[in-house]
Amino acid sequence: MSSSATSQEALASSLQQTLSPNTQERKQAEQYLGSIEKAPHFVVPLLQLVNDSGTNDNIRFAAALYFKNFVKRCWPQSEDTEDTEDTLLEEDRRVVKSEIVNLMITVPKRLQLQIGEAVSIIAESDFPEQWPELILTLVSKLSATDYHVNNGILQTAHTVFREWRSAFRSDRLYTKINLVMDQFKDAYLEVFVTTDRLLDEHASNPAALKVLLHSLMLLCQIYYDLNCQDLPPFFEDNMGEFMQTFHKYLVYKNPHAESDDDAPGDLEEVKSSICEIINLYALRYEEEFKQLPQFVETVWSMLTVVGNGPKYDNIVSTGMSFLCTVVRNPHHRELFSTSESLKLICERIIIPNTALPEADEEMFEDDPLQFVRREVESDSAGTRREAAAELVSGLLEQFATETTQVMSQYIQKGLAQYAANPTANWRDKDVALFLVASVAVVASVHSLGATRVNELVDVAEFFSTQIIQHLQNVGSDTGSPILKADAIKYVVTFRSQLPRELLVQALPLLAAHLAHPDAVVATYAAFAIERLLVQKRDNTMLFSPADVQPLAQPMLGHIFTALDSADSPQKLAENEYLMKTVMRIVLATRTNILPLAPAALAKLAAILAEVSKNPSNPRFNHFMFEAIGALARFSCAAEGAALAQFEATLFPIFQGILQGDVVEFMPYLFQILAQLLSMHQGGTELPEAYVSLLPPLLQPALWSAQGNIPALVRLLQSFLQVGGAQLAASGQLEPVLGVFQRLIASRTNDHHGFNLLLAITQFAPPAALKQYLKPILTLCLTRLQASRTTKFTRNFVHYAASVMCIGAQSGAGVDVFFDAMDSIQPNLMATLLSNVLLEAVPKVIGRVERKTTVVGFGLMVASPRFQSAPAYVPLTTAVLDQLATMLMDTAVKETKSQADASAAPASSEDAAAAAAASTVAADEDLDSLEVEASEYQASYAKLATLGDIKIDPCPQIVNPAAVLARSCAQSKPRSLQPSSSCPLISASLLHR
């Protein structure tokens, strides 16, 4: 008992420390929790803390948050999850599932949101197969009198069901929905009807109304959940009753139910939810939805009288979304076809909702980065403005000419009012510019802006007459900087449609605005420049390195000046758009950056040293390292002496990061080191600074962090690439092979082990490889026998082919490989081919990898050793057929790194790493390379500007089909028939 109490006290203390502003204290607490969470029954005291009303609220919240994240990491199991990797005992899983519903009912709403996420994760994994009692448990807890309990149950149900909204259709999904409907529908209808009745009975009781309206809101949310995939017969049969109630509350007015502040209350949430439901029905179940005309009239009327306050924003947005869905449907064209109808909808609904809200003006001034992020990253979905633009787009689909004419009147009116008094009427032009974009954009994608425009709108002329005036003078629009932001946004939106000469005219003007004192304007300018520098026309970059070079120095100067003004590491790193533009300028200037490289390197190094004190913005950090990597790549390519300057500048800072154990930066640091080391190719030996770094890199502690592993492997590949012979001579291959042994024991990391092994095979002396090949193959075969996966087998096939490609002209690699295999067991390769490898051969992925496999196994088949052994001769045709199948499959586009990442066991770190990683081919187009940053975590985010070490064991062979054809001719398999693969190879593939 005492031990348990002590454990509970230590757990509470550590959880409280995870909320500490002190970075070191927070990290220590997180490390402690990470060490004890693997202990059996860890989750039980964690849940007890969440449920303990006597515990400090902040500790309870920290416990709920940790529990959610723990469930996210440890609960889901896949086919690749090994027993040793499952940190949750079955007994603990049962305890959680038996207690979590009661927990949702009793804890405060703040904690419910965290516990609800955990319920959703568990249900996604276990319901219904391993948690069949879930729905019946929820139904059994519903109360006829206690709506506080009911709200907990309904919240739990919604948490489970809402995942269906974005789920792909599948038999398993429909099995879930049908089971839920069978067990839940009657109770749901009873609560729905009772809630409606009680709302009438307590119409003058504000406290009761608050609880009951929250219940109705949850019931509406669940209604949407249960109908989002298909229309269940139960809801189709009862549609009249449900829709009558929904209509009642869509027009419901009660002063006792109105919220007193600007935030939407439960009544507003109910109305928004009803609009979402009728929008779903109009979109998916139009034939069954007989009440649609009534709702169109009601929503239309509602939108003309609803208030302007922020609490009504969701109602207006969802209401306009419903009208947009209806207007896009040609069946309802007559509802909007008259000119009077179009004028009314534009004048009474669209125009009033395009004015810039007062809250947005405040955000522009008080939180400029949030304003930019919302606009740039399309987070404005759901706002009144965005809904109005969507409604305009819907009208344009059916009435392009008429809508354009009507909207043009309001645009011209706004421009005229601004011209009459620019100082007082700047908001009129802001609305006019917004309407122009709404009317002009027919189709768009985030990476290109508008891809198709309204033929009735001349976007180039509008730029020349209305936009450029705001960009020609940085000091203009002092009282209305929002118009400058609007003008820059216009350039970004129509960058794919404006003529090149206008964009060439705009680029230096945008560059000057990097120095604008308003943060929104300067950030918008940076974003616009970054987008223009990746713009292509006719598959050619719009701006060449020569075009960008004259502007590079002032642009970088303005950006670094802005960053220098920060008074803390957090403030310095808050604006990732500025750093992304630095990266893009370097990429767009390429080797022309050399004159500016020393100054740029000094600035980037200083920024790195500062932000490493307290990393806070992962996107900024990512782009910073991308900029450093790109600068090193181009500078050192243009001038070899630059390498020493990079190392002299960066190494002291890297040393500080290593000593300070800045885990967020470790993967980046190792990648930059790998890049710099690879530039020493051609030297006689490894530089001393790197030699002294190698032993610490091989320590297990570094490899225990999952995020370090890909970057460390990349760095070791560079060590081998530059000094493979030196490592072999100094006896340092064995510890490197020890790393390989550790990696292939893990299903998550085995592909990294093979990447390391390929570098050893490619860059170490053949004699050294021959010495270690038997133990290497023994480890691989043991893993194949004990825990084979498709990913591991595919990688082993590629590795075996790589060894057999050594000395391709002489066939020496085939003998080396067979000697090693036969030393383990005579004719072992025959058994392995028949039972394992043949099936995996066509699954090898990647251009170089597939070529290597065809060449390696083709050399094997043609070798005298293969053809003279009775155990192998019968396999000749099967091997050649599989290689031919691989060659004939020209549809394989997935890269090896993507396939390996997707095949690894799923985890939050793996998912984020896969999302952040960018596979870069040897001939990548660095000018237009799209780079995304990772989430904030000590996980691997690949630097896309660095590229990979391309390991090709037979670079002299360009046409693998020719090798295979010769293998067919040399092997002369007796069982090969005229219709089999070899004639096909020589006839149709030889010239590829």
Side-chain angles (χ1 to χ4, degrees), residues 115-191:
I115 302 302
E117 289 292 330
V119 171
S120 174
I121 294 164
I122 296 169
E124 178 64 24
S125 173
D126 287 14
F127 177 73
E129 292 87 356
Q130 284 84 44
W131 202 4
E133 70 277 11
L134 172 60
I135 303 303
L136 293 178
T137 301
L138 292 175
V139 169
S140 70
K141 301 287 185 182
L142 287 168
S143 168
T145 56
D146 192 340
Y147 264 71
H148 290 284
V149 170
N150 284 357
N151 285 350
I153 294 298
L154 294 174
Q155 181 65 57
T156 306
H158 173 50
T159 299
V160 174
F161 305 157
R162 70 184 176 193
E163 302 300 322
W164 302 344
R165 297 187 180 203
S166 57
F168 289 107
R169 295 188 173 195
S170 66
D171 290 341
R172 184 172 185 267
L173 176 62
Y174 282 105
T175 299
K176 281 187 182 183
I177 295 174
N178 289 334
L179 176 63
V180 168
M181 289 301 303
D182 288 342
Q183 297 181 352
F184 193 70
K185 65 180 188 297
D186 294 333
Y188 175 82
L189 179 58
E190 183 179 348
V191 173

Side-chain angles (χ1 to χ4, degrees), residues 24 28 117 165 247 277 308 352 367 408 417 477 544 554 814 839 848-849 859 891 966:
Q24 192 61 32
Q28 289 176 351
E117 289 292 330
R165 297 187 180 203
H247 189 271
I277 291 169
N308 294 322
D367 195 353
S408 295
Q417 289 174 327
D477 302 313
S544 70
V814 175
E839 181 184 356
V848 174
E849 290 81 2
L859 292 171
R966 286 195 295 272

